[in-house]
Amino acid sequence: PLEQPTGMVSVRIDPETGKLTGANNPEAIFETFREEYLPKEQTATIGNGEQRPAEGDEGSMSQQLF
């Protein structure tokens, strides 16, 4: 397994908006950012695929890939 470089974070983003999103967004992709450049805004997908502002901590959206 590859070791993730220090200071890098992989998160789910909405490719259309560039905002953080959750696993419930079928269009979500993973992107890797330096911690200081991590997107601050979030979106969340509701039942019909419509986007709305999400509440919560953006840190909960990250996933360890390395």
Side-chain angles (χ1 to χ4, degrees):
L2 297 173
E3 187 173 318
Q4 186 169 359
T6 303
M8 302 297 284
V9 180
S10 295
V11 294
R12 284 184 194 269
I13 64 162
D14 181 320
E16 193 170 312
T17 65
K19 296 178 181 179
L20 296 171
T21 192
N24 59 339
N25 181 344
E27 304 297 319
I29 61 172
F30 281 99
E31 286 289 340
T32 303
F33 296 89
R34 288 184 178 188
E35 288 178 351
E36 62 267 21
Y37 298 118
L38 187 65
K40 304 291 183 211
E41 295 184 53
Q42 295 183 28
T43 59
T45 303
I46 53 180
N48 61 3
E50 178 183 331
Q51 297 290 316
R52 64 173 171 78
E55 308 236 351
D57 179 273
E58 67 263 4
S60 65
M61 299 282 183
S62 28
Q63 178 177 350
Q64 185 71 29
L65 293 180
F66 295 93

